[in-house]
Amino acid sequence: MSGNRPRVIVLAFAAPSKRVKDYAAGLLAQGVEVDLITSVAAPWRAAGLDRAVRIHAVAEAEERHPVRRVENLLLYRIPGRILHDLRRSRLGPNADRRLEELCDLHRRAAGRLHRIFYRRVYNVMRPLVIARAARRPLQGVDFGRVERIVAADIFAVTLTWELARRFPGVAATTALEAGPPAGGGPPS
Amino acid sequence: MNRRGPRRPRVLYLAFYYPPSRASGVYRARATANHLAAQGWDVTVLAAPLKFLHEVIGSVDEELATTVDPRIRVERPAQHQFAWEHDVRRFGALRRSMPLLARKLYHLSQEKIFPEHYYSWGLSAVAHGLRMHARRRFDVVLATGNPFVSFAAAWGLHRLTGLPYVLDYRDAWTLNLFTDRPAYPVDHPAWAWERRVLTRASAVCFVNDALRGWHAERYPSVADRMMVVPNGWDPDLLPGLAGGAGARGAGPLQFGYLGTLTTTQPVEEMITAFRRARAHPELADATLNIHGHLGFFAHSQAHLAARLGICLDPAPDGAERDVVYRGPVSKTDVAGVYRDSDVLVFLAGGARYVTSGKIFEYMAAARPIVSVHAPGIAAAEVLDGYPLWFNAESLDPDEIAQAMVAAGKAARDLSPEQRRQAYEHAQAYARQTVLAPLETRLRTVSNVHRIGGGAAW
């Protein structure tokens, strides 16, 4: 922590983008400290995000959310367990071949259902899930003198709103502005 | 007729951009409402919410608002800010908890209701108009676009009340003026909406004949109701220009551009040509002064300044610049700019269908005008016959530079007779002259007849 330097919290849960990377670089160049709250740190580092940006990854917490766990249970764990039990019962070569075909079918169907679920249902709920899941991991983080909270994509909006409540008077915006933070209050 | 005498005809004017907005089309709306009020109409304007002008567009001219006729009633129907709101604290419950769903619903509403971000203003305008009409009936609705949801609102009011409506295409809707091609793919809902609103309109106005022709070709059944109402210049905003802007003083030539500079204009060509023209002894030490806003939005300034290759900061003492950005000018101060300019540079984007409102003021200033635009521009119809027009007929910087040199020479030798002739040409485009046919048409469609001269009804 560097004490009195202003700090901007950027929240981004979509794939790493040049827009966010450049925004963070611009802020760092102006002497502003940047925290990035995201799902996983590695893709951002691989994309060349400046090392000076402090990353807080919340993917693990998101995965532990009941919605994800229920999906995992219904799509993978329960059918997987049934298939596993069938395999252990050794029903004969013909049945084994059928079982392999069934396993293959399950893999494809589960993958397809996951994609449909993820795109059509989970994505709609994801901002809410992220906001709930990130509460605990972010609770203990000392962000210092926060001057702006920026939602860089649509999945970050709900958590941005929650953080805005934690930092009353700090600008909470979806606009990635090039200038230095304006200090408290909404962006002009 | 009541005991107090005949009632004034009543017009509901749907003009989203209206003072204090400083959008480029606002002058036509201001002048139209003022002209109708002066001709005895009871005018009610429905305009954009002030919050939108101040917080989203960020471009207002408070002095311009003082030039609105006090008899005009201005109402500002509400509009939601979904497309422009960035402050997360101001998001509603749905948008902050399920932003993706909120965005999908918003896009769906645009698809199903009207394909513009301003559609909620249109709905509010219809509700507002209905309430006012129920209290005291209107005779006619006049709508100006853009935004074109005002056309849809006029259509909606007509369907609900039977009120006749007139549409004023201040701008093109389905035609891209800068590419001369349709602005939307064939299956876009804008086409269906345009056909719908045109079919029932009592009259449709365009700013030049090229635009009228383009629309007449696409909608032949409405062609006989189409008319041209050119833009014009406003003598009340240019009080010092009666008879032209007067003779030039001594010293280096001052070239001037006045207006909003946008990315669609050939700004690089203008700057390059001017710098080449300065090499000529006639233009030694000449300055190109750029007056006005850089872009329509506050954030576009830096980008345009970079394109212009100019510095936005004031020059240090003693330092000279060939191109100087002078900043915004209130509409009430523009006469002074024309007075201080020896040559005016007419910079315009697009071509065949573009007139530009600025050219009328330029002509009223009775100064040499140098054209910097693509050849074949619709504005040529207006400039044709103006005795001090220097047109390179090209965007080649060398040819524009030659036209600038010729205009500079003309400015030095300008006689009072030449100025008088130039001003006389501009008189045909004084706003009250160009708006007279529109006022007559409104009277016809609303079936209101003049029973006295001037403002007496």
Side-chain angles (χ1 to χ4, degrees), chain A residues 123-125 127-128 154-155 157-158 160-161 164-165 167-175 186-187, chain B residues 54-55 82 84-104:
Chain A
N123 265 355
V124 172
M125 298 166 61
L128 211 53
I154 202 156
F155 301 114
V157 167
T158 311
T160 301
W161 187 76
R165 291 169 69 195
F167 299 101
V170 170
T173 177
T174 55
Chain B
H54 286 281
E55 294 182 12
F82 191 97
W84 302 283
E85 186 60 82
H86 294 297
D87 185 354
V88 175
R89 288 177 204 278
R90 291 191 193 173
F91 286 5
L94 178 67
R95 192 174 183 188
R96 67 181 185 239
S97 55
M98 291 198 179
L100 203 66
L101 182 64
R103 190 173 69 181
K104 278 184 180 168

Side-chain angles (χ1 to χ4, degrees), chain B residues 114 116 144-153 168-173:
Chain B
F114 194 81
E116 263 182 8
T144 181
N146 67 54
F148 296 98
V149 73
S150 62
F151 289 6
D168 180 18
Y169 273 82
R170 194 186 68 233
D171 202 351
W173 181 2

Side-chain angles (χ1 to χ4, degrees), chain A residues 94-144:
Chain A
N94 269 349
D96 282 350
R97 205 169 49 247
R98 285 278 169 84
L99 198 57
E100 279 313 308
E101 283 170 10
L102 201 60
C103 286
D104 191 44
L105 182 70
H106 166 246
R107 258 195 306 277
R108 280 186 281 130
R112 192 164 179 183
L113 280 171
H114 170 75
R115 280 194 296 276
I116 291 170
F117 168 78
Y118 203 89
R119 201 170 52 232
R120 297 206 180 147
V121 183
Y122 183 68
N123 265 355
V124 172
M125 298 166 61
R126 194 175 175 219
L128 211 53
V129 170
I130 289 171
R132 295 270 158 81
R135 263 180 208 162
R136 193 172 291 173
L138 297 179
Q139 209 162 31
V141 179
D142 176 13
F143 286 106

